[in-house]
Amino acid sequence: MSNVEDAKQSAMNSPLELAPDSWAPGNGPDPLIQHNGGRIGASVSRVDGGPKVRGAAPFAAEFALDDMVYAALVFSTIAKGRIATLDTTVAEAAPGVVLVMTHRNAPRMRPMPLFGTSEKAAGADSLPIMQDDRVRWNGQAVAVVLAETREQADHAASMIRVTYETEPATTSFEQAKANGTETAHLFGHDVHIEIGDAEAALAAAHVSVDATYRTPYQNHNAIEPHATTVAWHSDELVMHDASQLVGHQAWSLAHIFGIEEEQVRVTAPYVGGAFGGKGLWSHQVLAAAAAKLADRPVRLALSREGVYRLVGGRARTEQRVAIGAGADGRFDAIIHTGTAVSGRDKAAPEAFAFPTQSSYAAGSFQIDVQLAYQDMVTNTTMRAPGEAVGSFAIESAVDEVAVALGMDPIELRIRNEPDNDPITGRPFSSRHLVEAWRAGAERFGWAKRNPTPGTVRDGEWLVGMGCAAATHLYVRQPGGAARITLTSDGNVTVDVAAHDAGMGTATAQGQVIAERLGLEPEQVSFRFADSRMPGLVAALGSSQTVTVGAAVAAAQRVLVAELLKLVGHDSPLAGLTTEQVGVLDGGLAKLDEPARHESYTSILAGAGRDEIAVEASAPPPVEMMNWSMHSYGAMFCEVRVNGVTGETRVSRFLGSMDCGRVLNPKTATSQFRGGIIMGLGLALTEQTHFDERKGRIMNPSLAEYHLPVHMDVPEIDVIWTGIPDPHTPMGARGIGELSITGTGAAIANAIFNATGKRIRDLPITPDKLM
Amino acid sequence: MIPFTYTRAGDAAEAVRLAGRGDVKYIGGGTNLVDLLRETIERPAALVDVTGLSSAIEPRGNGGLLIGAAVRNTALAEHRDVRTRYPVLARAVLAGASGQIRNMATVGGNILQRTRCAYFYDTEGSRCNKRSPGQGCDAIDGFNRTHAILGASSSCVATHPSDMCVALAALGATVHLEGADGARTVPLTDLHRLPADHPEIETVLEPGELITAVELPPLAAAARSTYRKVRDRASYAFALVSVAAALEVDNGRVKEVRLALGGVAHKPWRAWAAETALRDGPATTRAFRAAAQAELAAANPLPDNGFKIELAIRTITAVLGELAGSDA
């Protein structure tokens, strides 16, 4: 019998302990970090796959409500000023039109409560929405048409005439910087860190690099454009939305419309990708307002252009990275400073210095992120905010140091591996990046790389290899809560107001719940994305898996306690406490005496109960304050750059990840591949064309915003250390955003190895390599 | 989208009759026109569906091929005679769009597709002389990395987006037209206009005139021909520069050469100057590059697209070198 089978066998015979009731130091780990009951770790296909393929999955724009009308929007064409004239008469007379809503007749509403300003605030900005004649960005909605069909609404919208009085706007980055910048503020701190005298150490260093890296505006481009279907039932608002934070959104909508939180219900059963872009924006508020005005349900589905006009993306950055190193490669100084564009509210700063705050040991640090205000649709979180573009800069700079020293870039990184968090001094909860480097280098064939740039040629093509580190902060949200309903047939339903935008939340949670409760997977239903469910869990920060996992563990403790109250005097479990029992074979058993076992169905039958429902909140995420917690990766890339045309093709990619326990290899691999593909776009093709003359986005379409297409994407290999984190639920850490980090630099570094050209300005289009 | 009437024509004569000289657009696969309708750039009162025109690819007595205007792009690229005798055309078609779009798009519609200039498409927010004559051009001082370097004017710097047309230009194709005043033929290279002061007038077609077919002349040199498209991603992007070329080398000398460029001008750009420089000269890399430089001597770059000059020169040189192969 193999070791694995051994472990499995013993797992099946001995009860599984309950998770600790706190994640503070001193507690034991979650037994699920290594328990092998066959659920966790299985490559389970996504539970939403079938319904989606069959067209049976209702997305936000597919809820058909009685008497529903369709919305179309008119967008402003200036960046700043006021509406001078607004002629809606022709549109109002057009066929099928129910009404036209503008600032003149829109209901009075409070601005959106800005995300981060209170526990449940969801707003992407705090600007007034159609409450006055002011224009605050180019693309702002200035009119909403409701009509009996979508086509009639679109037609009527094209007949609305608007003229503007323009005012001077800040729409150029140079102007924005000249106007003065502010230090970014995140997680309660200014993003400004000084340890030692980094400039002096840089000047004195044996070798140094000092360069500016630039990353452009980018947009999320989820395949499902934002959409919402809303209905008022007297004073109650129901919104079926493409949302990644239903709980926050329900509270925020209540605030905006001056009603109670309980009067709003937001659902998002299926969401076609979110990536940080599907929070609360003006269009949901406008849909709800228009539905109120018309007293009819409204479906508002943004066109792709509409998404670009109303929903912000990733902000442009300009970053200085300077590193000074000794002859042995050890870093004496790391400087990572610069400026990102921001909306006025500065709610989602593109804090690019994140990766530098935990990646390397150094004698001194200088870190500073400034924000420069521009009049444009406010920027927001986009997959690995800060880390995706910041890792491009720092990981390119590390490669430049390796070149300057004539040292292998992997060895250089390992030489600067920190023992503790280099900024806070906290111990790492679990950091096995060196193992990831070693395993990745072996698998990728790194030893075959020719370190001399521009020397490997295959016909017209120059071939190169590059690498970079990936890193993403571990987050567990404080609002995790879950309800477990156990029925007399032994089945379990778990409700959490969490989200699955295609990343596999429900699939992985189904596995975890089955394993934690000792059930077969088909006995478990995981329901989510309804604001009336317990929990305040946004799909942000790659944090849902552990946030929900901790909540379910907490609810399980309550469930077990309740079940023990129900057991009869003659039950094998009679007289036992929660500390004495564990989970075994669809029931509970005494930890040290597994024969004392009673199934859930037997307990409920004995108590004459059809079901038992419990609800609990997860303990606070104190682990984040006690350890430095991150997921890591070692990214390897081979590129071919055409010597004639400058076209780049990524020919091989490997992500070697260290992300704690992998719950579902299939969905995890898919997440990693998706992140790497998005990183490939970041490196080579993606750029939102923001015309600084008028502050207008000029490529609001999938034809002209160049995401990677199939032919751009090579086979992507993914491996992981599989080392569980002893301080997290299930031993897992976040994986959703991890692999977009590092990827851009791995590609840029491979391009340098292929061509000898160091491109510090993304995206790396052919003209930059000619 | 503005409401319109829709009629399906059985043949060319019926289409021309239905169209009259009114505010009518012919629609083939609709892969570009429907976008333009949605953006309200095109606002015809009526559409006449011409997918019922000939979709045949027939040999001509002189050894050429006659391609019906309703032939789908996919069918054109798959046709045996096209693949073997005019490979440049099959490759050009396959370099464009996506499989789904090529299944819909017709030959006639492909020729008449309109520029993808972002300012042309931004109906409400930007100025464009092509969309609204006399309004001005926001591209000249805006994002113009993908715009024209040859034959542009102070009114318009847009490019023609077709790949297929670049191959047709190189092959010396003629376009068969039918209108209220009868039928005529026009060389493909004369069909599209340079923008000058009227970028809104893109072709020499009269109002109501209909493309019924494209004729490929017999061309021995085309058996060794190819198409190379340089773009920002591997597929589904318009050309930064593309090159259609056919080359016949005899004893180290250029016997026949055909060369056209895409992505550089308001029309598919036949490289007459380069052809003249090459014909009967040595088939060497040096000569290829010199000819390419001669063609691009007239280039007038914008702030963002100066790289296209060198890119075109390099790509022409590489393509001719590839076609010459061991004969070079």
Side-chain angles (χ1 to χ4, degrees):
Chain A
M1 196 180 280
S2 74
N3 287 342
V4 174
E5 284 165 343
D6 239 354
K8 215 163 176 169
Q9 197 63 39
S10 87
M12 288 165 75
N13 291 332
S14 59
L16 171 68
E17 284 182 66
L18 306 189
D21 59 2
S22 157
W23 304 93
N27 281 291
D30 183 351
L32 283 192
I33 73 167
Q34 55 191 12
H35 185 261
N36 193 349
R39 312 285 179 253
I40 292 179
S43 275
V44 176
S45 294
R46 269 164 45 182
V47 294
D48 46 329
K52 282 178 176 168
V53 170
R54 292 195 305 275
F59 286 79
E62 296 175 320
F63 284 84
L65 305 180
D66 290 341
D67 204 31
M68 185 173 75
V69 292
Y70 296 79
L73 300 172
V74 178
F75 306 107
S76 77
T77 56
I78 64 162
K80 190 176 180 184
R82 53 176 293 276
I83 296 166
T85 66
L86 178 53
D87 182 358
T88 59
T89 51
V90 181
E92 280 161 341
V97 171
V98 173
L99 61 79
V100 177
M101 184 175 81
T102 69
H103 67 279
R104 295 192 290 241
N105 62 344
R108 294 302 98 184
M109 301 174 272
R110 296 195 189 114
M112 296 189 287
L114 188 64
F115 183 80
T117 55
S118 70
E119 185 195 14
K120 297 183 179 180
D125 64 43
S126 64
L127 302 172
I129 298 174
M130 216 169 264
Q131 300 294 296
D132 55 31
D133 63 0
R134 304 292 308 169
V135 174
R136 296 170 175 87
W137 77 87
N138 194 326
Q140 170 189 325
V142 294
V144 181
V145 179
L146 297 185
E148 301 294 343
T149 70
R150 170 72 192 257
E151 291 72 20
Q152 289 171 328
D154 284 340
H155 176 223
S158 75
M159 300 158 97
I160 290 175
R161 292 289 160 262
V162 195
T163 62
Y164 301 94
E165 282 173 17
T166 62
E167 294 170 15
T170 302
T171 52
S172 95
F173 190 38
E174 292 308 315
Q175 182 64 49
K177 285 187 291 179
N179 289 347
T181 59
E182 276 179 37
T183 306
H185 195 77
L186 200 63
F187 302 143
H189 301 284
D190 281 348
V191 187
H192 178 88
I193 298 162
E194 289 185 37
I195 296 176
D197 187 341
E199 291 286 3
L202 180 73
H206 173 71
V207 299
S208 65
V209 300
D210 190 344
T212 302
Y213 301 82
R214 294 181 174 84
T215 64
Y217 300 107
Q218 294 164 353
N219 279 76
H220 310 78
N221 286 301
I223 194 66
E224 175 208 25
H226 296 53
T228 195
T229 303
V230 298
W232 288 89
H233 306 283
S234 69
D235 283 341
E236 300 213 340
L237 173 64
V238 177
M239 174 176 282
H240 302 293
D241 199 33
S243 170
Q244 58 190 104
L245 32 64
V246 293
H248 297 76
Q249 201 168 311
W251 180 87
S252 297
L253 286 164
H255 171 85
I256 292 163
F257 287 98
I259 55 179
E260 296 302 315
E261 183 179 12
E262 294 69 32
Q263 292 173 283
V264 182
R265 180 184 177 202
V266 179
T267 81
Y270 293 95
V271 177
F275 308 115
K278 283 183 174 158
L280 180 60
W281 295 85
S282 61
H283 68 278
Q284 293 115 312
V285 177
L286 289 169
K292 198 177 177 71
L293 196 61
D295 198 21
R296 291 176 69 175
V298 167
R299 177 186 294 169
L300 190 158
L302 294 182
S303 63
R304 182 63 61 181
E305 180 189 357
V307 178
Y308 277 83
R309 301 278 175 241
L310 294 187
V311 178
R314 196 194 298 280
R316 172 180 178 170
T317 74
E318 185 175 79
Q319 308 172 45
R320 175 192 176 205
V321 180
I323 300 175
D328 61 357
R330 289 185 201 281
F331 296 159
D332 301 322
I334 300 180
I335 297 172
H336 195 167
T337 60
T339 307
V341 170
S342 173
R344 188 83 74 192
D345 289 315
K346 302 182 173 62
E350 191 64 37
F352 48 76
F354 254 161
T356 302
Q357 290 172 231
S358 66
S359 293
Y360 300 105
S364 59
F365 284 92
Q366 183 185 330
I367 284 169
D368 185 79
V369 176
Q370 293 294 308
L371 300 179
Y373 172 76
Q374 280 187 210
D375 294 304
M376 62 186 295
V377 60
T378 195
N379 67 292
T380 193
T381 54
M382 179 168 152
R383 204 172 198 173
E387 288 155 317
V389 291
S391 65
F392 162 68
I394 181 73
E395 290 297 311
S396 291
V398 170
D399 199 69
E400 297 194 44
V401 174
V403 171
L405 286 165
M407 189 180 287
D408 179 83
I410 295 175
E411 286 313 309
L412 176 65
R413 286 177 170 87
I414 291 172
R415 200 159 290 190
N416 287 286
E417 180 71 5
D419 295 327
N420 291 306
D421 187 288
I423 303 298
T424 65
R426 284 182 201 140
F428 294 109
S429 65
S430 171
R431 178 174 168 122
H432 299 279
L433 180 54
V434 173
E435 287 96 315
W437 276 120
R438 299 284 189 226
E442 170 75 24
R443 188 171 174 101
F444 196 71
W446 182 255
K448 296 195 190 97
R449 171 178 179 264
N450 185 332
T452 308
T455 46
V456 181
R457 204 173 239 287
D458 178 10
E460 280 184 2
W461 296 88
L462 297 158
V463 185
M465 287 191 209
C467 67
T471 174
H472 190 262
L473 190 67
Y474 167 91
V475 175
R476 182 161 70 82
Q477 298 175 56
R483 178 168 55 237
I484 301 178
T485 305
L486 171 65
T487 49
S488 56
D489 55 7
N491 291 340
V492 146
T493 301
V494 175
D495 294 322
V496 185
H499 306 80
D500 193 341
M503 57 278 216
T505 314
T507 311
Q509 291 300 337
Q511 294 173 257
V512 172
I513 293 162
E515 184 125 351
R516 203 179 280 290
L517 297 181
L519 297 170
E520 297 299 324
E522 53 274 15
Q523 292 178 284
V524 175
S525 305
F526 181 72
R527 301 191 302 194
F528 56 95
D530 184 329
S531 62
R532 299 216 162 148
M533 294 173 178
L536 187 70
V537 184
L540 289 171
S542 303
S543 61
Q544 286 200 124
T545 300
V546 293
T547 303
V548 174
V552 170
Q556 183 198 21
R557 293 189 78 83
V558 178
L559 176 69
V560 170
E562 291 299 313
L563 287 169
L564 290 175
K565 286 183 203 163
L566 294 181
V567 298
H569 297 299
D570 52 352
S571 163
L573 301 174
L576 298 179
T577 66
T578 47
E579 307 309 320
Q580 291 174 293
V581 299
V583 163
L584 185 67
D585 294 341
L588 303 177
K590 188 162 189 286
L591 286 173
D592 54 4
E593 209 177 330
R596 288 182 64 180
H597 173 270
E598 185 171 9
S599 69
Y600 300 132
T601 50
S602 168
I603 296 171
L604 286 185
R609 293 284 293 267
D610 292 332
E611 66 168 49
I612 178 171
V614 300
E615 193 174 318
S617 295
V622 291
E623 69 271 26
M624 291 160 60
M625 284 173 281
N626 287 290
W627 291 279
S628 177
M629 303 182 78
H630 306 262
S631 286
Y632 310 95
M635 314 305 265
F636 295 83
C637 172
E638 181 190 87
V639 300
R640 299 161 66 82
V641 179
N642 192 283
V644 174
T645 62
E647 292 164 291
T648 298
R649 300 283 180 263
V650 176
S651 44
R652 286 199 297 140
F653 205 101
L654 166 68
S656 175
M657 320 311 287
D658 175 47
C659 55
R661 186 168 195 191
V662 172
L663 305 177
N664 180 337
K666 186 173 189 173
T667 53
T669 302
S670 182
Q671 283 288 287
F672 288 135
R673 288 196 175 122
I676 289 164
I677 293 167
M678 216 160 169
L680 199 153
L682 175 142
L684 298 178
T685 59
E686 292 189 40
Q687 178 169 22
T688 306
H689 294 147
F690 181 76
D691 190 325
E692 294 198 334
R693 296 170 302 172
K694 292 181 72 176
R696 191 159 173 89
I697 291 170
M698 292 312 302
N699 59 339
S701 89
L702 292 184
E704 305 301 334
Y705 182 101
H706 288 162
L707 296 163
V709 296
H710 279 98
M711 280 176 70
D712 292 300
V713 181
E715 188 165 329
I716 296 171
D717 193 12
V718 180
I719 58 175
W720 45 75
T721 62
I723 301 169
D725 192 315
H727 304 298
T728 68
M730 294 86 72
R733 292 193 301 264
I735 62 169
E737 296 166 271
L738 173 61
S739 65
I740 190 176
T741 78
T743 294
I747 292 170
N749 295 340
I751 287 172
F752 176 81
N753 180 242
T755 65
K757 288 179 181 150
R758 179 68 64 183
I759 309 299
R760 304 184 181 93
D761 181 15
L762 298 183
I764 306 175
T765 46
D767 44 310
K768 294 174 185 171
L769 292 170
M770 277 174 52
Chain B
M1 201 179 291
I2 310 297
F4 49 80
T5 64
Y6 170 87
T7 321
R8 195 178 158 87
D11 57 26
E14 188 186 0
V16 169
R17 193 172 65 249
L18 286 168
R21 293 177 197 272
D23 183 12
V24 175
K25 295 294 285 187
Y26 296 116
I27 184 164
T31 57
N32 184 217
L33 181 56
V34 172
D35 283 351
L36 295 166
L37 292 168
R38 284 206 177 107
E39 301 290 342
T40 68
I41 295 166
E42 298 282 7
R43 303 166 156 249
L47 291 185
V48 174
D49 185 326
V50 291
T51 53
L53 265 59
S54 169
S55 57
I57 299 175
E58 300 163 306
R60 299 291 271 177
N62 63 0
L65 278 185
L66 188 70
I67 301 161
V71 169
R72 305 285 177 175
N73 281 193
T74 297
L76 178 63
E78 282 177 353
H79 194 271
R80 210 183 107 151
D81 287 344
V82 174
R83 283 193 289 120
T84 55
R85 293 169 51 203
Y86 306 95
V88 62
L89 180 55
R91 287 172 194 174
V93 170
L94 292 176
S98 65
Q100 294 92 329
I101 290 173
R102 292 194 297 269
N103 287 343
M104 287 298 292
T106 62
V107 166
N110 188 321
I111 292 170
L112 294 180
Q113 66 179 303
R114 305 193 69 185
T115 184
R116 297 315 199 276
C117 173
Y119 300 93
F120 172 68
Y121 266 81
D122 187 19
T123 326
E124 298 296 327
S126 300
R127 297 177 308 150
C128 174
N129 288 319
K130 186 184 283 296
R131 174 168 33 77
S132 305
Q135 191 178 48
C137 169
D138 274 338
I140 288 177
D141 296 316
F143 289 108
N144 50 43
R145 181 171 166 274
T146 61
H147 286 68
I149 52 172
L150 289 163
S153 73
S154 57
S155 295
C156 182
V157 292
T159 56
H160 193 260
S162 171
D163 293 297
M164 182 190 80
C165 285
V166 184
L168 293 179
L171 293 170
T174 52
V175 181
H176 291 230
L177 303 175
E178 194 163 322
D181 299 330
R184 62 174 177 141
T185 61
V186 175
L188 185 278
T189 48
D190 293 341
L191 186 90
H192 299 94
R193 298 174 71 258
L194 289 175
D197 294 334
H198 287 285
E200 75 281 11
I201 306 172
E202 293 170 353
T203 68
V204 299
L205 264 62
E206 298 294 334
E209 209 169 17
L210 173 70
I211 295 175
T212 57
V214 173
E215 183 169 356
L216 301 181
L219 183 67
R224 190 186 284 192
S225 66
T226 195
Y227 187 74
R228 182 160 175 178
K229 181 177 182 179
V230 184
R231 44 187 152 174
D232 283 329
R233 60 181 169 188
S235 178
Y236 202 61
F238 293 99
L240 295 169
V241 163
S242 69
V243 174
L247 183 68
E248 194 174 355
V249 176
D250 184 19
N251 208 13
R253 314 283 298 175
V254 174
K255 187 174 168 195
E256 176 61 289
V257 61
R258 297 298 186 86
L259 196 62
L261 305 177
V264 295
H266 198 254
K267 59 186 289 186
W269 189 266
R270 178 77 175 262
W272 301 106
E275 289 181 14
T276 304
L278 286 166
R279 206 164 275 125
D280 301 324
T284 62
T285 303
R286 191 192 181 100
F288 296 154
R289 185 167 171 93
Q293 284 170 323
E295 187 65 42
L296 274 298
N300 191 13
L302 296 159
D304 294 346
N305 70 4
F307 73 95
K308 282 190 175 189
I309 297 174
E310 175 63 16
L311 182 58
I313 291 168
R314 288 188 188 189
T315 310
I316 292 168
T317 308
V319 166
L320 292 174
E322 178 196 333
L323 290 174
S326 55
D327 296 339

mmCIF file of all heavy atoms in Angstrom, chain A residues 737-753:
data_model
loop_
_atom_site.group_PDB
_atom_site.id
_atom_site.type_symbol
_atom_site.label_atom_id
_atom_site.label_comp_id
_atom_site.label_asym_id
_atom_site.label_seq_id
_atom_site.Cartn_x
_atom_site.Cartn_y
_atom_site.Cartn_z
ATOM 1 N N GLU A 737 -5.464 35.562 -8.191
ATOM 2 C CA GLU A 737 -4.747 36.689 -8.782
ATOM 3 C C GLU A 737 -3.246 36.438 -8.880
ATOM 4 O O GLU A 737 -2.538 37.173 -9.554
ATOM 5 C CB GLU A 737 -4.996 37.948 -7.932
ATOM 6 C CG GLU A 737 -6.461 38.364 -7.952
ATOM 7 C CD GLU A 737 -6.783 39.389 -6.875
ATOM 8 O OE1 GLU A 737 -7.133 38.978 -5.746
ATOM 9 O OE2 GLU A 737 -6.689 40.582 -7.151
ATOM 10 N N LEU A 738 -2.787 35.412 -8.190
ATOM 11 C CA LEU A 738 -1.345 35.199 -8.046
ATOM 12 C C LEU A 738 -0.594 35.188 -9.383
ATOM 13 O O LEU A 738 0.445 35.828 -9.532
ATOM 14 C CB LEU A 738 -1.113 33.881 -7.290
ATOM 15 C CG LEU A 738 0.328 33.390 -7.175
ATOM 16 C CD1 LEU A 738 1.183 34.402 -6.436
ATOM 17 C CD2 LEU A 738 0.356 32.032 -6.458
ATOM 18 N N SER A 739 -1.134 34.483 -10.360
ATOM 19 C CA SER A 739 -0.295 34.189 -11.526
ATOM 20 C C SER A 739 -0.280 35.305 -12.568
ATOM 21 O O SER A 739 0.489 35.220 -13.528
ATOM 22 C CB SER A 739 -0.713 32.869 -12.171
ATOM 23 O OG SER A 739 -2.001 32.959 -12.703
ATOM 24 N N ILE A 740 -1.110 36.362 -12.400
ATOM 25 C CA ILE A 740 -0.912 37.513 -13.298
ATOM 26 C C ILE A 740 0.334 38.279 -12.847
ATOM 27 O O ILE A 740 0.976 38.967 -13.635
ATOM 28 C CB ILE A 740 -2.147 38.444 -13.347
ATOM 29 C CG1 ILE A 740 -1.983 39.475 -14.476
ATOM 30 C CG2 ILE A 740 -2.392 39.149 -12.029
ATOM 31 C CD1 ILE A 740 -3.186 40.388 -14.671
ATOM 32 N N THR A 741 0.701 38.127 -11.569
ATOM 33 C CA THR A 741 1.910 38.801 -11.088
ATOM 34 C C THR A 741 3.131 38.027 -11.576
ATOM 35 O O THR A 741 3.086 36.810 -11.734
ATOM 36 C CB THR A 741 1.950 38.911 -9.551
ATOM 37 O OG1 THR A 741 2.331 37.654 -8.997
ATOM 38 C CG2 THR A 741 0.609 39.329 -8.973
ATOM 39 N N GLY A 742 4.189 38.724 -11.836
ATOM 40 C CA GLY A 742 5.415 38.075 -12.291
ATOM 41 C C GLY A 742 5.429 37.723 -13.764
ATOM 42 O O GLY A 742 6.482 37.726 -14.406
ATOM 43 N N THR A 743 4.256 37.449 -14.312
ATOM 44 C CA THR A 743 4.211 36.988 -15.700
ATOM 45 C C THR A 743 4.737 38.050 -16.671
ATOM 46 O O THR A 743 5.504 37.745 -17.591
ATOM 47 C CB THR A 743 2.774 36.575 -16.063
ATOM 48 O OG1 THR A 743 2.424 35.436 -15.285
ATOM 49 C CG2 THR A 743 2.659 36.217 -17.537
ATOM 50 N N GLY A 744 4.308 39.289 -16.448
ATOM 51 C CA GLY A 744 4.762 40.351 -17.355
ATOM 52 C C GLY A 744 6.272 40.486 -17.350
ATOM 53 O O GLY A 744 6.914 40.605 -18.406
ATOM 54 N N ALA A 745 6.869 40.432 -16.162
ATOM 55 C CA ALA A 745 8.323 40.555 -16.079
ATOM 56 C C ALA A 745 9.018 39.329 -16.659
ATOM 57 O O ALA A 745 10.059 39.448 -17.310
ATOM 58 C CB ALA A 745 8.752 40.760 -14.622
ATOM 59 N N ALA A 746 8.442 38.145 -16.425
ATOM 60 C CA ALA A 746 9.071 36.931 -16.985
ATOM 61 C C ALA A 746 9.160 37.059 -18.510
ATOM 62 O O ALA A 746 10.172 36.692 -19.118
ATOM 63 C CB ALA A 746 8.269 35.691 -16.589
ATOM 64 N N ILE A 747 8.109 37.595 -19.105
ATOM 65 C CA ILE A 747 8.099 37.753 -20.564
ATOM 66 C C ILE A 747 9.094 38.839 -20.984
ATOM 67 O O ILE A 747 9.885 38.651 -21.914
ATOM 68 C CB ILE A 747 6.669 38.057 -21.049
ATOM 69 C CG1 ILE A 747 5.774 36.832 -20.840
ATOM 70 C CG2 ILE A 747 6.679 38.474 -22.525
ATOM 71 C CD1 ILE A 747 4.290 37.075 -21.053
ATOM 72 N N ALA A 748 9.068 39.976 -20.299
ATOM 73 C CA ALA A 748 10.004 41.059 -20.645
ATOM 74 C C ALA A 748 11.452 40.604 -20.462
ATOM 75 O O ALA A 748 12.320 40.941 -21.271
ATOM 76 C CB ALA A 748 9.715 42.286 -19.783
ATOM 77 N N ASN A 749 11.695 39.825 -19.420
ATOM 78 C CA ASN A 749 13.052 39.333 -19.178
ATOM 79 C C ASN A 749 13.471 38.323 -20.241
ATOM 80 O O ASN A 749 14.638 38.286 -20.655
ATOM 81 C CB ASN A 749 13.151 38.724 -17.774
ATOM 82 C CG ASN A 749 12.937 39.769 -16.678
ATOM 83 O OD1 ASN A 749 13.073 40.975 -16.927
ATOM 84 N ND2 ASN A 749 12.583 39.322 -15.483
ATOM 85 N N ALA A 750 12.518 37.513 -20.691
ATOM 86 C CA ALA A 750 12.822 36.568 -21.770
ATOM 87 C C ALA A 750 13.098 37.324 -23.067
ATOM 88 O O ALA A 750 13.978 36.939 -23.858
ATOM 89 C CB ALA A 750 11.658 35.596 -21.949
ATOM 90 N N ILE A 751 12.360 38.403 -23.289
ATOM 91 C CA ILE A 751 12.599 39.221 -24.485
ATOM 92 C C ILE A 751 14.002 39.822 -24.434
ATOM 93 O O ILE A 751 14.711 39.865 -25.448
ATOM 94 C CB ILE A 751 11.508 40.303 -24.616
ATOM 95 C CG1 ILE A 751 10.178 39.662 -25.047
ATOM 96 C CG2 ILE A 751 11.933 41.391 -25.621
ATOM 97 C CD1 ILE A 751 8.988 40.593 -25.013
ATOM 98 N N PHE A 752 14.409 40.250 -23.252
ATOM 99 C CA PHE A 752 15.784 40.773 -23.129
ATOM 100 C C PHE A 752 16.798 39.678 -23.453
ATOM 101 O O PHE A 752 17.767 39.894 -24.187
ATOM 102 C CB PHE A 752 16.041 41.323 -21.720
ATOM 103 C CG PHE A 752 17.459 41.784 -21.540
ATOM 104 C CD1 PHE A 752 17.851 43.032 -21.999
ATOM 105 C CD2 PHE A 752 18.418 40.955 -20.980
ATOM 106 C CE1 PHE A 752 19.171 43.449 -21.886
ATOM 107 C CE2 PHE A 752 19.744 41.360 -20.859
ATOM 108 C CZ PHE A 752 20.123 42.612 -21.316
ATOM 109 N N ASN A 753 16.546 38.505 -22.920
ATOM 110 C CA ASN A 753 17.471 37.391 -23.178
ATOM 111 C C ASN A 753 17.502 37.048 -24.672
ATOM 112 O O ASN A 753 18.558 36.719 -25.222
ATOM 113 C CB ASN A 753 17.046 36.174 -22.344
ATOM 114 C CG ASN A 753 17.959 34.980 -22.546
ATOM 115 O OD1 ASN A 753 17.528 33.937 -23.006
ATOM 116 N ND2 ASN A 753 19.245 35.130 -22.212
#
